Each structure stands twice: as C-alpha cells, then as structure tokens.
Amino acid sequence: MLDYRFIKENLEAVKANIEARNMTADADKVVELFDKRTELVTALQVLQTERNENAKSMKGKLEPEVRQKLIEEGKALKEKIAAMEKELSEAEALLDEAGRQIPNMAHPDAPVGKVDTENLEVKQVGTVPQFDFEPKDHVQLASELDLVDFDEAAKVSGPKFYYLKNEAVFLEQAVVMYALNILRKHGFTPFITPDVAKAEILQGIGFNPRGNESNVYCIEEEGTCLVATAEITLGGYHSGEILDKAKLPLKYCGLSHCFRREAGAAGQFSKGLYRVHQFTKLEMFVYCTPEESDALHEQLRQIEEEIFTGLKIPFRVVDTCTGDLGAPAYRKWDLEAWMPGRNGGDWGEVTSTSNCTDFQARRLNVRFKDDDGKNKYVHMLNGTAVAVSRVLVAILENYQNADGSITVPEVLVPFCGFDVIKKK
C-alpha cells in the first residue's frame, strides 16, 4: 500500500493516478481517516500522560479524601482510555480497508490507457513463421498427437482442467529444466514453493482472496488459499523481517502449481491451454533497495527475452498501460508470443514482469537497515520465467509441420530426449 502521509501530501496526484488506472478508490476518505487516527493517537497520548501523573500522585502519604479523589480520577481516566482505544482501533481498521484500495503510483513513462489494446509495443524479436499449409491451433494438434486430454479432465475435475500425456509430459519438464538452468546462471536461488498460502499473505501481495471479483480458490474454514502464482509464496517468505542490506538483492525463483478461478474468462482467446484453472509456472522474485529496482526490472525482462529467444519463438515486448497494470505494479512489461492458431495468427501474453516498488513491502512489513541506521522498506519485483501451459501453446503452434508432427525446439531436446513428436 501507499504511505498514508504520501497520499495526504500528494492527494491530487494520487487521485489522478487512480483515474488513469481506471480503478475505484477514495483517496479523500483515506486522508480523512488518517487525520482522524492522528487526532485520536494524540488525544490518547494526552490521556495516558494524565493517567501516569495520577498514578505518581498516589505514591506517598495522602489524606484519605485526597486519595479517594485520585482513585476516582484514575478510574475515570481508565474508562476514557479504554473507550478511546476502541475508537482508535475501529478508525485504524477503516483506514486500513480504505488504504488497501489505493493502487501504487504508476511509472511516469507508463502509457496511459484503460485496456490491454492500449499497451505500447516496444519491439519485436524473431520472425513470424510462414507456413505453406493451413496451420492448426494447439487444441487440434494436441488431440491428433494424443498430447492433451481436455474431455476426461472435464469429467474428473471440471472445465478448464487438462491431462498432459505422452511426449507433452516430457516437454513440460524440459521447459522447466531449460528455464531453471538459465535462472541458475543468473544467480537465482531455486525453490519449489507451497501451493497454499495464508489469506493475509495474498492480501499483502495484492490479491483479493474474497468476493465475486476474486480470482483465487479459498480453502473453507482454513484461512488459506491455493496460490495463483509463486509470487505469493516468495513474496511472503520474508514477511515481517528486516533484511541485511549487504545481502541485497535477493534473487529467488519458485516452481509451483498455480490455481486461478478465471471467472468470466471465455471466448476463443481462452480456449485450450491458454487460460486454465491449474498450470505449472516458474516465477522470478527479487528483494532489493529502492535504488536498484529499475535496473533489476530491466534485468528480469531481459531474462524473459533470453528464454524465448533461445526457444526461437517470435515475441514482442509491450509496455503495459496504466489501466492494465494491476494495483501493486509501478511498471510492467509483457512478452507476447506469436501464436499461429490464435484467431488466424495473433500475439498472446506468455510472461510479464512488474516492479512493485515498496507497495507490497509495506503490506508485508519487509524492510532493510540502511546505511543511516534507519529501517526502510525494500522494493519487490516479480517476473514470469515460464508459464508452462502457454509455452506449450506457442511451441505446438510455431513448430508444427505439414504432416501434423511437431519439431521440438533444439534447446529442449537434451532435456526431453526426442526431437520430434509424431502421430502414434
């Protein structure tokens, strides 16, 4: 969340940012509640001082009527303090609720827009394939090659689940190992993270675990949720801690299953493996000082580009517009791979990387001791190395052949042990 004092001192800029992000939040209410809390804290401190003075006056030899008067004053002060503490607690809860609705400030260079079609293309990498035959989409290819079974998964688990079969199982593992080795080369500490996290950790990262708008599966009566990304579990890893500045930046990568309700996600762009309720993802996460975060954000994007350049899958980079950023992000880059089977050939998002500055760190209370001896909030960044289901979409569609077979990307062959997938 944003610092309350920052909101008060930059109120018009905060309100303009909310509008640019196409979000609904009441910054005026936050300032009003912040001022009320400040007044209550000051008034409470005055009462506590009076209580302490009253207690001091009780010491020593006193006339009975004086002592009785002090006792009555002490009881009255105690009741006033209890009532004010209750009022302060209620005000703080309202302030916290209102404050959590305020999004992070957007980078000055982030393009202003409401929807993803207003994202700004930065560059294209690779050559879009030209087929001398009618290309198929990944759903048809996977069915003909017996790689994915959606029907049996729907029977067992419901729609938007799937079974990977045969060579697709090895292909998924190959994608993971290929990306893990690249991240190891760049100094990332690898994790296999839990698939469950506490609701307060999700809230700290910026996910809404409750209500109709939530994209999260909650576990009833447990206060926990299935994670939508390892960003949640890696971001919560150091919650409530003060990190050693000498050890920053901390570069982690987490392999996990991801579970998303995808409520309302329908249409041709969501079919097959592109938008599912469960998938495997390798996520990058960084804790750093504020001075480092912009450069590290560039590094995360470059690693994503390295992964897809190595796979020889054509992609483009887009600078995400304000309305498509998501509340925690200061700036976000998306990589969109070319998918020949997507509406006759189109770009589809495969990775993103966000600099969330200290927005998540404030919620999760992750700090470092700076050289001036003061504790300051770290900056937190995240980036998708590979969301495997979408990588499989791009591989199947870009590497398809006229005879219906799939050529395996050269960099994956050592991990999966075959270079082509043919009809059984």
Side-chain angles (χ1 to χ4, degrees):
M1 59 174 59
L2 291 180
D3 178 66
Y4 297 136
R5 192 169 298 280
F6 174 88
I7 296 173
K8 180 176 180 177
E9 294 174 355
N10 300 273
L11 182 58
E12 293 308 314
V14 170
K15 289 162 76 170
N17 181 64
I18 293 169
E19 183 178 357
R21 284 175 172 264
N22 199 30
M23 292 183 177
T24 302
D26 193 341
D28 288 316
K29 184 178 180 181
V30 172
V31 172
E32 177 187 335
L33 290 167
F34 174 64
D35 287 341
K36 181 179 180 180
R37 186 191 70 171
T38 303
E39 291 171 4
L40 287 170
V41 168
T42 301
L44 182 60
Q45 288 172 343
V46 170
L47 286 175
Q48 288 169 337
T49 299
E50 291 178 7
R51 180 190 60 188
N52 294 339
E53 291 298 325
N54 175 271
K56 288 180 183 178
S57 300
M58 295 282 288
K59 295 178 180 179
K61 190 174 181 180
L62 297 171
E63 294 295 327
E65 61 273 14
V66 175
R67 182 176 295 277
Q68 184 60 34
K69 182 181 179 183
L70 289 172
I71 289 172
E72 290 173 359
E73 288 176 354
K75 286 181 179 179
L77 284 168
K78 183 178 179 181
E79 290 174 0
K80 286 182 180 179
I81 288 172
M84 190 159 290
E85 285 176 338
K86 183 175 183 293
E87 188 178 1
L88 176 59
S89 178
E90 292 170 352
E92 286 180 333
L94 291 171
L95 175 58
D96 181 71
E97 182 181 354
R100 287 179 181 273
Q101 306 306 314
I102 308 293
N104 200 358
M105 300 299 288
H107 191 287
D109 294 337
V112 177
K114 292 185 177 181
V115 293
D116 58 5
T117 53
E118 297 175 88
N119 293 343
L120 179 65
E121 181 179 310
V122 175
K123 64 177 176 180
Q124 290 188 19
V125 178
T127 304
V128 171
Q130 300 297 319
F131 298 104
D132 55 6
F133 58 91
E134 186 68 27
K136 303 170 183 175
D137 66 29
H138 74 280
V139 176
Q140 185 177 355
L141 290 163
S143 175
E144 292 175 354
L145 295 170
D146 197 22
L147 299 176
V148 184
D149 196 323
F150 295 102
D151 294 335
E152 296 302 311
K155 179 181 71 176
V156 173
S157 306
K160 292 192 177 293
F161 287 94
Y162 59 95
Y163 285 93
L164 285 185
K165 298 174 61 180
N166 298 313
E167 293 93 339
V169 174
F170 294 92
L171 199 58
E172 169 157 320
Q173 299 304 311
V175 168
V176 169
M177 287 304 300
Y178 162 68
L180 270 172
N181 278 307
I182 288 177
L183 297 186
R184 175 164 58 178
K185 178 186 71 176
H186 286 285
F188 284 77
T189 300
F191 290 78
I192 293 179
T193 76
D195 288 337
V196 173
K198 295 177 180 178
E200 58 262 32
I201 299 296
L202 272 81
Q203 289 175 322
I205 289 294
F207 282 79
N208 173 23
R210 302 282 188 271
N212 294 331
E213 299 296 320
S214 176
N215 197 25
V216 173
Y217 289 105
C218 287
I219 302 174
E220 292 184 11
E221 299 180 1
E222 293 290 332
T224 57
C225 308
L226 299 178
V227 300
T229 165
E231 175 193 349
I232 295 166
T233 40
L234 292 176
Y237 190 75
H238 289 298
S239 60
E241 296 182 19
I242 298 175
L243 305 178
D244 183 353
K245 184 181 180 182
K247 294 181 179 179
L248 297 178
L250 295 174
K251 297 195 292 184
Y252 295 158
C253 63
L255 181 65
S256 76
H257 295 116
C258 303
F259 301 88
R260 303 187 183 187
R261 292 177 62 235
E262 299 295 2
Q268 60 175 326
F269 290 164
S270 299
K271 70 179 180 179
L273 291 171
Y274 188 80
R275 198 178 295 279
V276 288
H277 288 317
Q278 177 185 335
F279 58 97
T280 300
K281 182 156 73 84
L282 180 61
E283 182 77 3
M284 300 179 285
F285 199 90
V286 176
Y287 297 85
C288 67
T289 64
E291 295 77 19
E292 298 172 301
S293 67
D294 283 338
L296 284 164
H297 193 207
E298 287 291 315
Q299 184 183 104
L300 293 184
R301 192 192 80 198
Q302 289 166 7
I303 291 171
E304 292 176 347
E305 293 185 22
E306 179 183 347
I307 289 170
F308 280 86
T309 299
L311 288 168
K312 295 183 179 177
I313 292 173
F315 64 88
R316 68 175 185 172
V317 179
V318 298
D319 194 354
T320 307
C321 73
T322 52
D324 195 37
L325 272 179
Y330 170 65
R331 196 175 199 182
K332 181 163 80 80
W333 305 100
D334 284 352
L335 259 65
E336 298 178 348
W338 181 255
M339 298 180 179
R342 185 179 172 88
N343 196 29
D346 202 353
W347 304 102
E349 181 192 333
V350 284
T351 75
S352 65
T353 176
S354 300
N355 181 358
C356 297
T357 61
D358 61 358
F359 189 82
Q360 295 169 324
R362 286 181 181 277
R363 293 174 178 231
L364 293 168
N365 195 25
V366 186
R367 296 171 293 168
F368 70 99
K369 188 177 290 293
D370 208 350
D371 297 334
D372 58 8
K374 296 181 180 179
N375 292 331
K376 298 177 182 177
Y377 290 103
V378 298
H379 277 200
M380 296 162 73
L381 303 93
N382 65 82
T384 308
V386 284
V388 179
S389 56
R390 292 194 177 183
V391 176
L392 294 182
V393 172
I395 290 174
L396 296 179
E397 294 187 0
N398 282 283
Y399 279 88
Q400 62 181 297
N401 301 308
D403 62 359
S405 66
I406 306 292
T407 301
V408 176
E410 185 178 352
V411 292
L412 300 184
V413 173
F415 299 107
C416 61
F418 49 84
D419 59 7
V420 66
I421 303 172
K422 299 179 180 179
K423 290 184 180 181
K424 309 295 180 288

